[in-house]
Amino acid sequence: MLRTLAIAGRHMAARSRVHALRRMSSGPPKSAMSFPCIDRLESRQRDLLAGPEPTYDKVVTGYSTYTHHAPFVCDHMGVLHGFDIAYESWGTLNADKSNAILVHTGLSASSHAHSHEKNMNPGWWEKFIGPGRALDTDKFFVVCTNVLGGCYGSTGPASVDPQTGERFATTFPLLTVNDIVRAQFHLLDHLGIQKLHASVGASMGGMQSLCAAALHPERVGRLVSISACARSHPYSIALRFAQRQALMSDPNFNRGFYYDSVQPHVGMKLARAIATVTYRSGPEWELRFGRRRRAPELPPALCPDFLIETYLDHQSERFCLQYDANSLLYVSKAMDMFDVSRSVTERLARQRESVVLNEPVAPVCLNEHEQMDAGEASSVETDEEILEDLVSGVRNVLQPALVLGVQSDILFPVKQQREIADILRKAGNERVTYYELDAMYGHDTFLIDVVNVGAAIKGHLENEHLIK
């Protein structure tokens, strides 16, 4: 017993000497790294528990609303029992209503493309619209809508379902770009506009402008598609998938039913940060931020430290309560599914025609065990067959077309705009103009480069020699 106690005492003394040596060699007690960015997120979450309400329904004022009262069957067989489209206009519609230009927006933009007396705040395309500008309101009547599925006045997941009296949330039907365009043409019918002077759009708006000309070739006089594509490609699909996954992983997302609770703020912020990386270019950020740090005199931090990190943090925080999370999911998915190919357009039309109104249709998706693997999927069509299908899809798009690409765009690389110009020409369109801009602003060039983008658009819209 005494021997055991002696051994235990020697072990305790040895451990004490080791601890003492460690304390001597390690210096002052170590403190944990601070995480002010996480502190701010937690503080914001606490604020959201008590308010404020999300601000996306208050961002835009001064728009008009068209209400479509008849049932609207969507391409993937969902049904809206009527819908609203928010729109704004500039200029004057002439007597025969032939000078209208429909401006299509990108993913998250509102109808407020330009300021006016009902809303004097600058619009998202402020410098491109107005007297003497690219879209000259002394000559043209310019209309811009908030897309179906959006959250700035048009019917979307945040809207109240008239059938239930509750917000749609993720009971809202899946949409396609074709659905968005078809809803816009119901607005044009309401306005008495039988034929547009031009359909103009960039990014997802460029998808819409091409789609409008393909679905309604007799109603579109000219086409302008900027930084867009004829079909979404895997790289951009992957980037938008990552955004949706970040958003849906937020515990507050609650499968889309968050309107009466805490908004998925963190998921939205992460999604927007990913998106912002794709909107600009490396060369611009080299020039604008370089490797400069916010506080170079301080030790490196895991929270925003480099200026590029503080920029992403600020931009994503600013966005996350100005746009509805479900709208981001639905509209971005519509972008992913965009394909102007004839076979796709006809398949979607058949799906719509198969719907029997007043019978609910549950969303259909492949079981994970039924999904094609990459090798099987890639063998479905050859490159030649895909090209032929695309050409057939735009076979009636014979009006003057302007296609713009930007060399620094990583989200919609110029190869995709060349593809648009190529399929239009192969379809027999002899009035296709393709420009490739050497700008450093990446995908957002269409918002920034007023001189080059604006001049190309203005020339195309006003060139009378383009019409045979």
Side-chain angles (χ1 to χ4, degrees), residues 359-372:
E359 288 189 7
V361 179
V364 177
C365 62
L366 289 174
N367 183 283
E368 62 179 355
H369 301 298
E370 295 172 340
Q371 294 182 11
M372 295 180 294

Side-chain angles (χ1 to χ4, degrees), residues 33-47 265 269 303-304 317:
M33 182 175 289
S34 63
F35 290 89
C37 53
I38 296 178
D39 294 339
R40 285 194 297 273
L41 286 176
E42 291 173 346
S43 175
R44 173 59 68 88
Q45 290 290 87
R46 288 192 294 271
D47 290 343
H265 161 258
K269 182 172 181 175
C303 283
E317 179 66 35

Side-chain angles (χ1 to χ4, degrees), residues 180-260:
I180 290 169
V181 169
R182 289 190 299 110
Q184 291 167 340
F185 272 80
H186 282 299
L187 167 64
L188 296 180
D189 292 340
H190 168 72
L191 297 174
I193 299 169
Q194 292 304 308
K195 184 173 182 178
L196 293 167
H197 177 76
S199 175
V200 178
S203 188
M204 188 184 81
M207 296 177 176
Q208 294 171 66
S209 62
L210 179 61
C211 179
L215 292 180
H216 303 284
E218 75 289 352
R219 298 188 65 178
V220 177
R222 304 181 191 213
L223 161 65
V224 177
S225 181
I226 306 167
S227 297
C229 61
R231 58 191 173 113
S232 284
H233 288 246
Y235 180 73
S236 62
I237 293 172
L239 289 167
R240 288 188 289 269
F241 169 78
Q243 294 170 48
R244 291 193 297 272
Q245 288 293 296
L247 170 52
M248 292 187 292
S249 296
D250 189 316
N252 292 318
F253 174 64
N254 193 31
R255 289 171 168 76
F257 292 87
Y258 50 77
Y259 293 108
D260 296 324

Side-chain angles (χ1 to χ4, degrees), residues 150-467:
C151 58
Y152 295 136
S154 294
T155 296
S159 303
V160 173
D161 181 352
Q163 301 290 100
T164 65
E166 303 289 337
R167 302 227 200 193
F168 281 103
T170 45
T171 68
F172 196 77
L174 279 176
L175 297 175
T176 65
V177 171
N178 300 41
D179 290 327
I180 290 169
V181 169
R182 289 190 299 110
Q184 291 167 340
F185 272 80
H186 282 299
L187 167 64
L188 296 180
D189 292 340
H190 168 72
L191 297 174
I193 299 169
Q194 292 304 308
K195 184 173 182 178
L196 293 167
H197 177 76
S199 175
V200 178
S203 188
M204 188 184 81
M207 296 177 176
Q208 294 171 66
S209 62
L210 179 61
C211 179
L215 292 180
H216 303 284
E218 75 289 352
R219 298 188 65 178
V220 177
R222 304 181 191 213
L223 161 65
V224 177
S225 181
I226 306 167
S227 297
C229 61
R231 58 191 173 113
S232 284
H233 288 246
Y235 180 73
S236 62
I237 293 172
L239 289 167
R240 288 188 289 269
F241 169 78
Q243 294 170 48
R244 291 193 297 272
Q245 288 293 296
L247 170 52
M248 292 187 292
S249 296
D250 189 316
N252 292 318
F253 174 64
N254 193 31
R255 289 171 168 76
F257 292 87
Y258 50 77
Y259 293 108
D260 296 324
S261 184
V262 180
Q263 306 294 304
H265 161 258
V266 175
M268 277 291 280
K269 182 172 181 175
L270 292 173
R272 187 61 174 185
I274 296 169
T276 302
V277 171
T278 72
Y279 294 156
R280 307 303 271 263
S281 77
E284 183 208 358
W285 282 350
E286 287 282 357
L287 183 64
R288 188 172 173 185
F289 303 114
R291 287 179 46 81
R292 295 189 296 279
R293 294 175 58 217
R294 180 176 57 85
E297 71 280 2
L298 298 178
L302 295 179
C303 283
D305 183 15
F306 288 96
L307 291 186
I308 182 59
E309 295 175 324
T310 63
Y311 169 79
L312 289 175
D313 186 63
H314 171 73
Q315 291 294 326
S316 55
E317 179 66 35
R318 191 166 66 102
F319 175 82
C320 62
L321 290 180
Q322 290 187 340
Y323 195 71
D324 180 39
N326 282 329
S327 284
L328 178 61
L329 297 178
Y330 275 80
V331 180
S332 70
K333 187 64 179 181
M335 294 178 71
D336 288 355
M337 295 186 291
F338 179 66
D339 188 339
V340 79
S341 300
R342 181 177 182 176
S343 64
V344 173
T345 303
E346 292 179 346
R347 173 174 57 80
L348 295 177
R350 288 194 301 271
Q351 289 180 179
R352 287 199 315 275
E353 292 166 0
S354 70
V355 172
V356 178
L357 294 178
N358 300 320
E359 288 189 7
V361 179
V364 177
C365 62
L366 289 174
N367 183 283
E368 62 179 355
H369 301 298
E370 295 172 340
Q371 294 182 11
M372 295 180 294
D373 61 31
E376 183 182 358
S378 63
S379 65
V380 171
E381 291 180 300
T382 65
D383 289 344
E384 292 76 14
E385 288 171 333
I386 291 171
L387 178 60
E388 182 180 346
D389 200 4
L390 285 169
V391 171
S392 185
V394 296
R395 63 196 181 282
N396 295 321
V397 182
L398 302 175
Q399 59 271 79
L402 170 66
V403 183
L404 290 181
V406 178
Q407 291 177 358
S408 59
D409 189 343
I410 63 171
L411 184 58
F412 288 83
V414 290
K415 176 183 177 182
Q416 297 177 24
Q417 289 87 63
R418 291 176 194 152
E419 182 175 63
I420 295 175
D422 185 39
I423 63 172
L424 289 175
R425 288 167 176 153
K426 288 181 183 297
N429 191 329
E430 299 177 352
R431 295 172 290 174
V432 179
T433 302
Y434 174 70
Y435 291 137
E436 201 168 286
L437 302 179
D438 182 19
M440 70 162 63
Y441 305 111
H443 186 63
D444 275 356
T445 295
F446 74 90
L447 297 170
I448 300 169
D449 193 348
V450 179
V451 173
N452 293 303
V453 175
I457 295 172
K458 187 175 180 66
H460 185 73
L461 295 178
E462 299 181 11
N463 186 348
E464 296 180 359
H465 298 294
L466 289 176
I467 303 298

